[in-house]
Every structure is written in C-alpha cells, then in structure tokens.
Amino acid sequence: MTLHTSREALTVPAAPETAACAAALEVATAYCTPALLNHSVRSYVWASAYAADRGIEHDAELLYVAALLHDIGLAPEFDSHTVAFDEAGGHVAWVFGAGAGWPAERRQRLSEVIVRHMWDSVDVREDPEGHLLERATAVDISGRNADDFTAGFRAEVLARYPREGLAEEFLACFRDQAARKPESSPAASVRGGLAERILANPHPLDS
C-alpha cells in the first residue's frame, strides 16, 4: 500500500452521514461514560485518519459503528457474567445491526470487527476494518504507534475529545473484568502488563 495523504495534511475526520452512524452515536452516548464515549469517537478518528494516510480502503460506516460500540460490553447494562466484554459487545452490535436493517452478513462483520479489536494484530488484507480498529484502540489506550500521527494532529484530536480520566477508568474496568472472568481477554491484558502501559506518564498521545 502506498501513502495516500501526507501526515502533515491530515484533518480530523467527521462521522459518515448515515442513519446507522447517527444511531450508534446515540447508543454510545446513552450507555457509555464520558471517558468511554470520547475514547470510542477518538478510536474512529485515529482509525480513519490512519486509513487516509496509508491509503487503506475500508467501509467507513462499518468502521464508525464498530468504533462507537466496541466497548459497549463494559457498560453495566450489557456487562456479561459469562463472556468477555468484547464478545458481549459483538453480540450487542449484532442486535444493533438487525435493528438498523443490516443483512445478516453485515451484522456478523460488525460483530467480528468488535471482537477482533482485542487481538494482538489483525491482517489488513483479510479485515481492513478490524485492522484499523485494533490499531486505533491500541493508540488510544496505551499509546502504541502514537507516532503514526504528528503532535499537532494528536493535540487537535484531544482538544476536541478530551481523555476525561480514561486511563484510570479503563484500567478499573479491565481489572474488574479480569477478576470476574479470569479466562477473558481483559484478564490476559492485565496479566500482560496493561496497567504499566496505560499508566505510563506522560501518555504518548499527550506529548
């Protein structure tokens, strides 16, 4: 893949103007805390901007809805006591897709993208939306690959969508998930040193 847009020329992308995207924002606003809501929006911004920079073709509506709903399984109303939050979120998203009138195949894709955001990596050739969301959430949570973006772009994004104490809130959520579901992806993340990466000071996005 060749570069499509100069990093210096990147602008903060707007949400796709579709009914499903508007509904996803409404759902996320209703059920996510301010910190998780801004994290979800930033995840789309990082993903979309990175795709523009690298010329990665993708389904913008699918990516946006997945980004806005990828942490919905952390909301108390959708927290599952039997499966990890990413799997629970995938199920919620499937139901959302049905309500949006999406065909079954597209609902399944939405669920897959959300589940895969917790993978260590997703092959861009097999799943561009999953690749973009996995990379973007890593940027936003631990600062991995933050240098994909200029300091000026990062500052603009954070000014529009502040972190609102995300690090502490997110880590508390993951520790709770890990304690209740020791075989889950959050438990594996906690065992793998997530706290140290999240609490690194200063956060790479802020520098």
Side-chain angles (χ1 to χ4, degrees):
M1 291 181 185
T2 58
L3 292 182
H4 185 265
T5 301
S6 167
R7 288 202 316 160
E8 288 69 24
L10 287 177
T11 58
V12 178
E17 295 183 358
T18 72
C21 289
L25 177 59
E26 182 179 0
V27 169
T29 301
Y31 289 101
C32 292
T33 64
L36 281 180
L37 175 62
N38 280 3
H39 160 63
S40 299
V41 175
R42 285 195 309 271
S43 294
Y44 172 73
V45 169
W46 304 130
S48 180
Y50 181 77
D53 181 42
R54 300 302 174 103
I56 299 174
E57 295 184 5
H58 64 286
D59 182 325
E61 180 185 57
L62 179 64
L63 178 62
Y64 182 86
V65 173
L68 268 290
L69 300 182
H70 81 275
D71 278 343
I72 199 72
L74 292 175
E77 294 85 351
F78 302 113
D79 183 15
S80 169
H81 290 278
T82 57
V83 299
F85 85 101
D86 42 326
E87 296 178 51
H91 290 298
V92 173
W94 194 98
V95 174
F96 173 92
W102 287 7
E105 182 178 354
R106 187 167 178 78
R107 291 175 235 158
Q108 184 61 31
R109 280 289 299 124
L110 177 62
S111 179
E112 289 171 351
V113 172
I114 287 175
V115 169
R116 290 173 181 175
H117 91 271
M118 285 296 293
W119 290 12
D120 291 335
S121 64
V122 180
D123 192 330
V124 66
R125 296 165 298 183
E126 297 180 3
D127 182 357
E129 294 81 21
H131 171 80
L132 291 169
L133 186 59
E134 177 274 319
R135 192 175 183 95
T137 54
V139 167
D140 204 67
I141 292 298
S142 67
R144 190 178 76 194
N145 299 314
D147 58 359
D148 283 343
F149 310 99
T150 65
F153 183 79
R154 297 197 304 264
E156 182 180 359
V157 173
L158 292 175
R160 293 194 191 189
Y161 309 107
R163 294 183 67 77
E164 304 280 7
L166 174 68
E168 293 78 9
E169 180 179 323
F170 193 84
L171 185 55
C173 285
F174 262 47
R175 282 172 168 162
D176 175 66
Q177 290 271 320
R180 291 188 287 114
K181 293 172 271 190
E183 300 304 316
S184 66
S185 51
S189 295
V190 170
R191 289 193 298 268
L194 179 69
E196 292 76 8
R197 296 194 299 276
I198 288 181
L199 298 176
N201 189 20
H203 191 281
L205 290 183
D206 301 325
S207 59

